[in-house]
Amino acid sequence: MEVKTITFKRVLNIGNFENKHLELSAQIGDGEDDEEAISLLMEKVERKLREPREKEIVNQIQTLESRANSLRERISYYEERLGELKSKHEESQQQPQEPDPDDIPFEGGEAPKTDNTLSNF
Protein backbone atom coordinates (compact mmCIF):
# COMPACT_ATOMS: atom_id res chain seq x y z
CA MET A 1 0.00 0.00 0.00
CA GLU A 2 1.36 3.38 -0.97
CA VAL A 3 0.53 6.38 1.24
CA LYS A 4 0.24 9.63 -0.71
CA THR A 5 -1.60 11.98 1.65
CA ILE A 6 -1.46 12.18 5.43
CA THR A 7 -3.71 14.17 7.74
CA PHE A 8 -3.36 14.78 11.44
CA LYS A 9 -5.96 16.50 13.62
CA ARG A 10 -5.50 17.45 17.24
CA VAL A 11 -8.10 18.76 19.69
CA LEU A 12 -6.81 20.60 22.75
CA ASN A 13 -9.04 21.33 25.75
CA ILE A 14 -8.22 24.89 26.83
CA GLY A 15 -10.60 25.01 29.80
CA ASN A 16 -13.99 26.56 30.40
CA PHE A 17 -15.56 23.99 28.07
CA GLU A 18 -13.53 25.35 25.15
CA ASN A 19 -11.49 23.36 22.65
CA LYS A 20 -8.94 24.28 20.06
CA HIS A 21 -8.70 22.27 16.82
CA LEU A 22 -5.83 22.10 14.36
CA GLU A 23 -5.69 19.81 11.34
CA LEU A 24 -2.90 19.64 8.76
CA SER A 25 -2.60 17.54 5.63
CA ALA A 26 0.52 16.81 3.62
CA GLN A 27 1.42 15.06 0.40
CA ILE A 28 4.14 12.44 0.63
CA GLY A 29 6.68 12.71 -2.14
CA ASP A 30 8.18 9.81 -4.07
CA GLY A 31 10.91 8.13 -2.03
CA GLU A 32 9.90 9.93 1.16
CA ASP A 33 9.53 7.77 4.30
CA ASP A 34 5.84 7.84 5.26
CA GLU A 35 6.57 7.09 8.96
CA GLU A 36 8.97 10.02 9.18
CA ALA A 37 6.49 12.29 7.36
CA ILE A 38 3.73 11.32 9.80
CA SER A 39 5.99 12.07 12.78
CA LEU A 40 7.01 15.44 11.37
CA LEU A 41 3.38 16.37 10.67
CA MET A 42 2.32 15.35 14.19
CA GLU A 43 5.15 17.37 15.77
CA LYS A 44 4.25 20.42 13.70
CA VAL A 45 0.58 20.22 14.68
CA GLU A 46 1.44 19.84 18.39
CA ARG A 47 3.91 22.73 18.31
CA LYS A 48 1.60 25.11 16.43
CA LEU A 49 -1.43 24.20 18.53
CA ARG A 50 0.33 25.02 21.79
CA GLU A 51 2.41 27.97 20.57
CA PRO A 52 0.04 30.81 21.61
CA ARG A 53 -0.57 29.14 24.98
CA GLU A 54 3.18 28.91 25.59
CA LYS A 55 3.56 32.67 25.05
CA GLU A 56 0.73 33.31 27.48
CA ILE A 57 2.33 31.04 30.08
CA VAL A 58 5.71 32.76 29.65
CA ASN A 59 4.02 36.15 30.17
CA GLN A 60 2.30 34.87 33.30
CA ILE A 61 5.61 33.53 34.64
CA GLN A 62 7.29 36.89 34.04
CA THR A 63 4.45 38.72 35.79
CA LEU A 64 4.63 36.38 38.78
CA GLU A 65 8.41 36.73 39.00
CA SER A 66 8.04 40.52 39.03
CA ARG A 67 5.44 40.33 41.80
CA ALA A 68 7.65 37.95 43.78
CA ASN A 69 10.56 40.40 43.56
CA SER A 70 8.32 43.21 44.73
CA LEU A 71 7.12 41.12 47.67
CA ARG A 72 10.70 40.24 48.62
CA GLU A 73 11.55 43.95 48.71
CA ARG A 74 8.54 44.66 50.91
CA ILE A 75 9.45 41.80 53.26
CA SER A 76 12.98 43.16 53.54
CA TYR A 77 11.64 46.63 54.35
CA TYR A 78 9.26 45.33 57.01
CA GLU A 79 11.94 43.13 58.59
CA GLU A 80 14.21 46.17 58.83
CA ARG A 81 11.39 48.25 60.30
CA LEU A 82 10.59 45.49 62.82
CA GLY A 83 14.22 45.47 63.93
CA GLU A 84 14.11 49.24 64.46
CA LEU A 85 10.92 48.99 66.52
CA LYS A 86 12.32 46.17 68.63
CA SER A 87 15.42 48.26 69.38
CA LYS A 88 13.28 51.23 70.41
CA HIS A 89 11.15 48.99 72.60
CA GLU A 90 14.20 47.50 74.33
CA GLU A 91 15.61 51.00 74.94
CA SER A 92 12.34 52.16 76.45
CA GLN A 93 12.27 49.12 78.77
CA GLN A 94 15.79 49.86 80.03
CA GLN A 95 15.03 53.46 80.99
CA PRO A 96 13.51 54.00 84.48
CA GLN A 97 9.77 54.43 84.40
CA GLU A 98 8.29 57.57 85.95
CA PRO A 99 5.74 56.87 88.67
CA ASP A 100 2.10 57.26 87.80
CA PRO A 101 0.82 60.45 89.51
CA ASP A 102 -2.67 58.95 89.90
CA ASP A 103 -1.35 55.92 91.79
CA ILE A 104 -1.07 57.43 95.31
CA PRO A 105 -1.07 55.00 98.24
CA PHE A 106 -3.10 55.70 101.39
CA GLU A 107 -1.33 57.98 103.80
CA GLY A 108 0.48 56.16 106.56
CA GLY A 109 -0.87 52.79 105.42
CA GLU A 110 -4.19 53.37 107.17
CA ALA A 111 -7.31 51.76 105.87
CA PRO A 112 -10.18 54.06 104.90
CA LYS A 113 -12.83 54.65 107.54
CA THR A 114 -16.05 52.77 106.99
CA ASP A 115 -19.55 54.06 107.58
CA ASN A 116 -21.17 52.01 110.35
CA THR A 117 -24.70 53.31 109.82
CA LEU A 118 -26.07 49.87 109.05
CA SER A 119 -24.58 48.34 112.18
CA ASN A 120 -26.56 50.70 114.39
CA PHE A 121 -29.91 49.12 113.55
Side-chain angles (χ1 to χ4, degrees):
M1 171 174 73
E2 187 177 336
V3 178
K4 294 186 179 192
T5 304
I6 55 173
T7 302
F8 182 72
K9 179 179 181 179
R10 177 77 159 98
V11 179
L12 179 67
N13 180 352
I14 56 175
N16 296 329
F17 303 101
E18 295 179 289
N19 295 310
K20 195 175 190 181
H21 301 259
L22 181 60
E23 181 175 343
L24 292 179
S25 296
Q27 298 289 327
I28 298 179
D30 290 335
E32 190 176 359
D33 182 16
D34 58 342
E35 292 292 327
E36 185 177 337
I38 291 170
S39 294
L40 289 173
L41 186 63
M42 290 173 67
E43 288 173 17
K44 188 172 191 175
V45 168
E46 290 292 337
R47 185 176 61 250
K48 290 297 181 183
L49 187 65
R50 296 176 187 276
E51 197 171 73
R53 184 74 176 138
E54 288 176 13
K55 289 178 184 175
E56 181 183 329
I57 290 170
V58 167
N59 287 338
Q60 287 177 347
I61 289 171
Q62 290 172 341
T63 300
L64 290 173
E65 286 175 344
S66 175
R67 288 177 61 194
N69 287 335
S70 175
L71 289 172
R72 282 188 203 99
E73 290 173 6
R74 289 176 63 190
I75 288 170
S76 177
Y77 167 78
Y78 286 122
E79 285 175 340
E80 184 177 315
R81 184 74 178 123
L82 178 62
E84 292 170 3
L85 292 172
K86 282 183 177 180
S87 294
K88 285 182 181 179
H89 178 71
E90 289 173 1
E91 288 175 11
S92 70
Q93 294 297 320
Q94 292 173 356
Q95 295 175 356
Q97 300 279 336
E98 291 188 25
D100 183 4
D102 294 330
D103 187 22
I104 301 173
F106 293 111
E107 293 180 19
E110 296 175 3
K113 295 182 179 180
T114 58
D115 185 14
N116 293 332
T117 53
L118 292 178
S119 62
N120 293 338
F121 281 104

